Amino acid sequence: MRQKTSTKKNEAISEFKNFPYADFTKKEDCESFTKAIKNVRQQLGKDYPLFINGNDVISREKMDSVNPAKPSEVLGSICQAGTKEVAQAIEAAKAAFEKWRDTPPQKRADCLFKAAEIARRRAFELSAWQVLEVGKQWDQAYADVAECIDFFEYYARDMLKLGQPQKLGNVPGELNLYFYQPKGIAAVISPWNFPLAISGGMCAAAIVTGNCVVFKPSGFSSIVGYNLVEIFKEAGVPNGVFNYIPGRGSVIGDFMVEHPDISLIAFTGSVKTGCRIIEKAAKVQPGQPNVKKVVCEMGGKNAIIIDDDTDIDYAVPQVLYSAFGFQGQKCSACSRLIILDAVYDKFVEELVKQAESIKIGPSEDFANKMGPVVDKSAQKSIFEYIEIGGKEGKVLYKSPVPQSDGFYAPITIIADITPDCRIAQEEIFGPVLAVMRVEDFDEAIDWALSTKFALTGGVFSRKPEHLELARKAFRVGNLYLNRNCVGALVGRQPFGGARMSGVGTKAGGPDYLLHFMDPRTITEKL
Ligand code: NAD
């Protein structure tokens, strides 16, 4: 699908539309994906440099990126930035800043439109990288690439609107202009679970608003992170405006955050890292010219409520998809299922029956609906939680996993969980579902709200008064009524949580770019 997106003279900008997903019931899409995986496989084993001021930079230290379904398979070797390289990247960003700041918003938006065009052209290949590097299923990987394209298209359009100064007031002899300027140098720090979309979205927002970026991908998805270098380079983003500095969070994280020349930190990741960043960024460093802004999106412990009149046949697959899609490694994933007593037994029976049919194996094989988790430490932590859950409640189902050295974790459904249990409070980030039985809908809402997080939530009910109560009281960032609770779409379901899930900046929504800029007012006496 092509969208008319250039802002060249006389060309109209079309209305924003989400990039359509691939359709794997169609032979041609399946063939394109198979071909893309083959193509990517031919590129394995390369070295990936840092990218600073438009130049490839080779560092002494390298880290292998491996296939989580087969850890002995090295996909590539990624140069690791140390503090020296981070300082260089920040210097380059600083040198490029004034020119980029003063580049007309239309030109900056054009870079994103071009980036979107490039990502559309490479959609299957970019998805195939995710299958190999983080173990996403085909459809999940393609959805991530589609979301990245959407961020480019959406933020470019938004900047065109926000780039127009507004006249305020209506007083003779006075002209008031209200407009935005970028904050400065942005450190973009991203997670691995939506490796192109979240990274691409945060970088795109910073770039299009006129900031310069130093981008640190997660160590688990640094090759996908490098895909952004290729995209922004081809899109004509000037030297120094986008810099890629993969490296260990423990080595360069604090340095980036505390650096006096960083004005903005765009972070998505765990609550532990996010809170650390907020704390470090709050401390003013010697020579620091700006108060730092932190755009911070963190974890979740999301609940779906099953009312006593729920259509079980409809809801069970929605719950399974929410809980176990991409191995439960989504911030939006359902990890608590709260079921009203009247339907509890029937619902749970059907849930387990259908869970038993989910095939687990390498995501490269389309038949597998669940793949490996991202790495060994994630796998270990999930097994520990399964053990804790087994003591706190009753394990209703624990799936078999492939006998291989891949990082597989079983689908696990644990019943008799109450809000005081650890597996009802702590984010596990794996395929573990805590099932809770409640007397009535009021109790269901209370239990749903009983964690420190407020990211997503879901309700299945046919009672208008219960849906209304949920709208009022089930205070999470993204609430879904009578559907699954994952897969928010740019422009349609702006995404992000409150409380300890984040500062509520809502990626893919009309307010997001405002976090990357400061408003200014100029008043002129005429
Ligand atoms: P993480 O917090 O471990 O890492 C995120 C990033 O922070 C990585 O790039 C990491 O290298 C870096 N980092 C580590 N230590 C750092 C430090 N001291 N200073 C600066 N950066 C540092 O999270 P993860 O495992 O990559 O991602 C999973 C988490 O992200 C889950 O908690 C999930 O819920 C959350 N998440 C939230 C959203 C959202 O929109 N709310 C979206 C996706 C993921």
Side-chain angles (χ1 to χ4, degrees):
M1 199 199 79
R2 290 180 70 81
Q3 294 184 11
K4 220 186 210 182
T5 49
S6 165
T7 58
K8 278 189 209 115
K9 255 189 183 164
N10 304 326
E11 267 192 83
I13 303 293
S14 63
E15 197 190 324
F16 169 78
K17 283 201 187 91
N18 297 104
F19 184 63
Y21 290 165
D23 179 353
F24 295 114
T25 62
K26 285 193 183 139
K27 197 168 156 237
E28 57 269 29
D29 283 1
C30 288
E31 281 174 359
S32 299
F33 214 105
T34 309
K35 219 167 107 193
I37 292 183
K38 226 168 140 189
N39 168 12
V40 161
R41 285 206 153 281
Q42 282 164 0
Q43 301 174 49
L44 300 189
K46 283 198 304 199
D47 285 351
Y48 291 85
L50 316 175
F51 185 69
I52 299 174
N53 203 20
N55 299 310
D56 291 347
V57 174
I58 307 291
S59 63
R60 227 173 339 125
E61 202 201 338
K62 293 197 177 67
M63 194 173 79
D64 287 343
S65 182
V66 302
N67 180 352
K70 193 180 168 201
S72 57
E73 181 173 54
V74 175
L75 307 176
S77 188
I78 292 93
C79 283
Q80 300 292 291
T83 52
K84 184 181 121 213
E85 288 83 6
V86 174
Q88 273 172 13
I90 292 174
E91 206 45 51
K94 221 174 135 183
F97 175 62
E98 284 187 11
K99 192 160 175 217
W100 187 240
R101 178 195 63 195
D102 297 338
T103 299
Q106 288 84 348
K107 277 203 163 169
R108 302 198 303 251
D110 261 343
C111 284
L112 290 199
F113 286 133
K114 279 187 203 136
E117 189 61 49
I118 296 158
R120 275 196 288 275
R121 188 190 79 219
R122 295 181 54 188
F124 282 101
E125 184 217 342
L126 294 170
S127 309
W129 275 114
Q130 300 196 15
V131 172
L132 292 183
E133 194 173 35
V134 295
K136 281 210 174 205
Q137 288 73 40
W138 292 16
D139 57 337
Q140 305 278 340
Y142 200 91
D144 182 78
V145 174
E147 189 180 358
C148 182
I149 293 167
D150 286 351
F151 279 134
F152 292 164
E153 291 281 350
Y154 184 86
Y155 293 147
R157 282 172 176 74
D158 222 22
M159 191 64 227
L160 292 177
K161 279 185 234 149
L162 293 169
Q164 307 280 345
Q166 297 173 54
K167 277 192 193 167
L168 297 183
N170 195 12
V171 176
E174 181 182 279
L175 175 66
N176 298 297
L177 287 182
Y178 184 79
F179 58 98
Y180 297 99
Q181 69 176 20
K183 284 186 173 288
I185 314 305
V188 174
I189 302 175
S190 65
W192 49 269
N193 68 330
F194 288 91
L196 195 71
I198 291 181
S199 306
M202 291 193 293
C203 290
I207 289 171
V208 82
T209 46
N211 300 279
C212 292
V213 169
V214 288
F215 163 53
K216 191 199 98 52
S218 162
F220 301 131
S221 59
S222 296
I223 298 184
V224 173
Y226 190 80
N227 290 148
L228 276 182
V229 176
E230 297 162 342
I231 291 170
F232 286 139
K233 219 157 94 168
E234 189 181 337
V237 172
N239 293 348
V241 173
F242 174 74
N243 303 278
Y244 164 81
I245 43 159
R248 287 188 175 78
S250 56
V251 177
I252 60 171
D254 288 352
F255 183 80
M256 281 174 86
V257 170
E258 290 173 335
H259 197 291
D261 290 328
I262 293 292
S263 299
L264 164 73
I265 297 134
F267 169 81
T268 306
S270 64
V271 66
K272 186 169 165 235
T273 314
C275 290
R276 182 186 175 94
I277 288 175
I278 289 173
E279 203 180 316
K280 299 246 169 223
K283 183 159 188 330
V284 177
Q285 303 294 333
Q288 179 180 320
N290 299 304
V291 174
K292 291 180 190 184
K293 163 95 182 184
V294 185
V295 174
C296 187
E297 299 304 321
M298 305 184 285
K301 189 72 202 173
N302 314 300
I304 289 182
I305 296 174
I306 304 294
D307 204 352
D308 56 12
D309 61 353
T310 295
D311 175 346
I312 295 179
D313 291 339
Y314 170 69
V316 164
Q318 304 278 327
V319 168
L320 290 172
Y321 183 71
S322 305
F324 304 123
F326 187 36
Q327 298 72 271
Q329 300 171 114
K330 297 182 189 177
C331 49
S332 52
C334 167
S335 56
R336 294 178 298 145
L337 185 62
I338 303 173
I339 311 176
L340 267 74
D341 184 54
V343 282
Y344 184 94
D345 292 332
K346 257 176 99 179
F347 195 95
V348 160
E349 188 188 334
E350 189 57 30
L351 184 79
V352 171
K353 201 168 108 199
Q354 292 195 29
E356 282 167 358
S357 67
I358 298 175
K359 221 174 144 224
I360 307 179
S363 306
E364 221 174 318
D365 179 350
F366 181 68
N368 293 323
K369 294 294 167 242
M370 231 187 65
V373 297
V374 76
D375 88 320
K376 204 171 185 54
S377 60
Q379 183 192 36
K380 183 167 168 271
S381 156
I382 293 164
F383 274 106
E384 282 166 9
Y385 273 113
I386 292 173
E387 212 180 307
I388 293 166
K391 287 181 192 143
E392 292 179 327
K394 180 176 167 220
V395 177
L396 291 180
Y397 179 58
K398 190 170 159 193
S399 72
V401 288
Q403 290 309 301
S404 83
D405 60 350
F407 304 132
Y408 293 100
I411 291 183
T412 309
I413 301 175
I414 304 177
D416 300 340
I417 295 301
T418 48
D420 54 321
C421 295
R422 275 185 69 188
I423 71 156
Q425 294 296 331
E426 296 169 24
E427 188 184 44
I428 301 173
F429 224 57
V432 181
L433 181 63
V435 183
M436 310 166 95
R437 188 198 291 257
V438 286
E439 285 302 317
D440 55 31
F441 198 78
D442 286 336
E443 189 175 30
I445 295 274
D446 278 353
W447 284 25
L449 294 174
S450 64
T451 76
K452 65 182 175 185
F453 297 107
L455 190 48
T456 73
V459 176
F460 286 87
S461 175
R462 289 190 264 201
K463 295 190 182 69
E465 67 276 18
H466 283 180
L467 294 177
E468 191 46 32
L469 178 61
R471 281 186 201 102
K472 264 198 208 141
F474 196 167
R475 292 178 187 278
V476 288
N478 287 66
L479 179 65
Y480 297 92
L481 306 178
N482 290 317
R483 55 153 280 183
N484 66 63
C485 68
V486 292
L489 287 170
V490 172
R492 279 166 60 186
Q493 294 111 20
F495 186 78
R499 303 186 64 197
M500 296 313 279
S501 290
V503 292
T505 42
K506 291 277 183 220
D511 300 327
Y512 190 68
L513 292 188
L514 298 180
H515 301 290
F516 293 75
M517 299 184 288
D518 291 321
R520 285 177 62 201
T521 308
I522 295 183
T523 300
E524 187 177 353
K525 177 99 183 71
L526 299 174

